[in-house]
Amino acid sequence: MEKCLKTRKKKAETAKQKLFSLSYMDFSRKTVSSGDFIYFPIKDFDKSKISKLGTISSKKLPKKIRKPRTISEILSKKLSKTELTELKTSFDIFGDIILVEIPENLIKKEKLIGNSFLKLYPNIRAVFKKTGKVSGIERVRPAKRIAGTGTSEVNYKESGCIFKFDISKVFFTPRLSTEREKIFAKVKPGEIVLDMFAGVGPFSVIIAKKQPLVEKVYAIDINNTAISYLRENARINKVSDKVEAFVGDSKTTISKKFKGIADRVIMNLPKTSLNFLPTALNALKPKGGVLHYYTFKATKQEVKA
């Protein structure tokens, strides 16, 4: 039996607020309704401060079952302490798919980990694990399903746009969503934008959708599958008239078609962006323009340089 404040339902809201303000509520137990009365679980209370709200009573109140909030919590009793320290707790969500990294020492537990993610996130259809790094000029990261059902093709929503793609055949990261917001907010009416490494079109499509007065967005990628998805994403988001996509190497494509035409160039290829810098500059209009250049730097000094 637990101590509780028994109060009439018409006084319940007032009683609850008072118990909250005094920190008398026992959050380990559930509040119970019975007939005309509400029973609030209480602890460490001063009877004189709440006596006018009801009567102090004893009643069997069920415990609150706290659901795990993280993957570490849900696996805390299923993995050893060493395994828990090795568990990768960061992951990406693409629509109804989760993509995780499974350390080599936990490969035998990958199904357990995958099913735990499904339990933690009921709206997720499947969990995939990375089976390699992003590699090759087409920037592909292989993935394998470890729990759930269906393929690795997803519908992902961002900034009011829908993107369809296969996470195992193209490169996409949801972690640049804030950066994409910053870029489309800078694009002015009448601009011509060149997206040099467009992928499935997150920059291109969002810019065309959010700045409908943009003159044109030209998108280039060497991955044919990515461009196929980009064209479909432009159609889905009703910006096919603004976005024109090309399969090919950016250096060759720009030298043949886009020298000196762009007001704004996006070159989101941090690993090798320096190799394409002269090409990007040549794509800008003779009067100049804006270049969004992304690269990896190890130190603050390198960034300043």
Side-chain angles (χ1 to χ4, degrees):
M1 304 290 280
E2 284 71 47
K3 288 292 182 182
C4 57
L5 175 68
K6 177 183 176 182
T7 186
R8 290 191 176 276
K9 287 184 176 179
K10 61 182 180 180
K11 289 186 176 181
E13 187 60 31
T14 301
K16 182 172 72 171
Q17 295 300 326
K18 185 68 173 180
L19 292 174
F20 280 163
S21 66
L22 294 170
S23 299
Y24 288 173
M25 192 76 81
D26 181 0
F27 293 105
S28 68
R29 299 283 173 174
K30 291 183 179 181
T31 298
V32 171
S33 174
S34 179
D36 293 330
F37 295 95
I38 298 290
Y39 297 83
F40 291 107
I42 54 176
K43 64 178 181 178
D44 303 327
F45 59 92
D46 182 339
K47 182 178 178 180
S48 64
K49 293 184 179 181
I50 56 176
S51 59
K52 293 182 180 180
L53 298 172
T55 58
I56 305 302
S57 179
S58 294
K59 187 175 180 64
K60 189 171 183 179
L61 302 177
K63 283 186 176 182
K64 281 185 178 177
I65 300 174
R66 182 180 176 277
K67 294 182 178 180
R69 297 179 182 178
T70 66
I71 193 64
S72 296
E73 284 185 26
I74 205 169
L75 288 167
S76 60
K77 295 181 180 179
K78 298 176 181 179
L79 298 179
S80 68
K81 289 184 179 180
T82 300
E83 288 172 331
L84 283 170
T85 60
E86 295 176 347
L87 180 68
K88 300 289 185 180
T89 56
S90 62
F91 56 92
D92 289 320
I93 296 180
F94 303 88
D96 57 359
I97 281 178
I98 282 179
L99 181 65
V100 300
E101 184 176 347
I102 304 293
E104 188 175 348
N105 292 341
L106 292 179
I107 288 178
K108 292 182 178 180
K109 303 288 181 71
E110 64 182 32
K111 288 186 178 180
L112 169 64
I113 295 170
N115 286 320
S116 297
F117 270 108
L118 292 180
K119 186 176 181 180
L120 190 62
Y121 299 97
N123 294 328
I124 292 299
R125 166 178 60 81
V127 179
F128 284 76
K129 75 167 185 176
K130 302 173 185 176
T131 56
K133 295 181 179 180
V134 176
S135 62
I137 59 174
E138 293 190 347
R139 294 187 294 168
V140 174
R141 172 170 35 215
K144 171 190 173 185
R145 191 179 74 230
I146 58 174
T149 60
T151 69
S152 51
E153 187 174 74
V154 299
N155 287 311
Y156 168 85
K157 295 180 180 180
E158 181 180 312
S159 297
C161 297
I162 298 173
F163 294 94
K164 182 179 180 180
F165 55 90
D166 188 321
I167 64 170
S168 68
K169 295 180 180 178
V170 300
F171 176 79
F172 186 96
T173 175
R175 302 186 186 193
L176 286 178
S177 59
T178 302
E179 182 64 22
R180 289 189 278 267
E181 287 182 0
K182 290 179 182 178
I183 300 303
F184 78 66
K186 295 177 183 293
V187 178
K188 298 177 177 63
E191 283 191 2
I192 294 176
V193 179
L194 179 63
D195 189 357
M196 287 179 63
F197 313 102
V200 300
F203 278 103
S204 298
V205 171
I206 291 174
I207 287 171
K209 187 78 170 181
K210 294 296 184 177
Q211 178 47 277
L213 296 179
V214 69
E215 183 174 330
K216 202 75 174 180
V217 181
Y218 295 110
I220 306 168
D221 202 282
I222 204 165
N223 185 326
N224 186 61
T225 302
I227 290 297
S228 294
Y229 277 120
L230 191 157
R231 288 170 178 152
E232 185 169 1
N233 292 330
R235 180 189 61 78
I236 291 171
N237 292 284
K238 300 179 180 179
V239 292
S240 295
D241 60 325
K242 293 291 184 180
V243 178
E244 191 171 350
F246 298 84
V247 178
D249 174 75
S250 284
K251 288 182 179 179
T252 304
T253 305
I254 288 173
S255 66
K256 288 182 177 180
K257 297 177 179 291
F258 301 119
K259 288 184 69 174
I261 60 95
D263 297 288
R264 188 178 302 270
V265 174
I266 302 168
M267 49 185 314
N268 181 30
L269 190 69
K271 191 174 181 180
T272 58
S273 56
L274 187 61
N275 298 335
F276 292 86
L277 187 55
T279 302
L281 293 172
N282 285 334
L284 291 172
K285 289 181 176 179
K287 66 178 182 180
V290 179
L291 175 62
H292 298 281
Y293 175 81
Y294 298 87
T295 189
F296 295 129
K297 292 297 180 182
T299 66
K300 290 183 179 180
Q301 287 72 24
E302 285 182 304
V303 173
K304 291 179 181 179

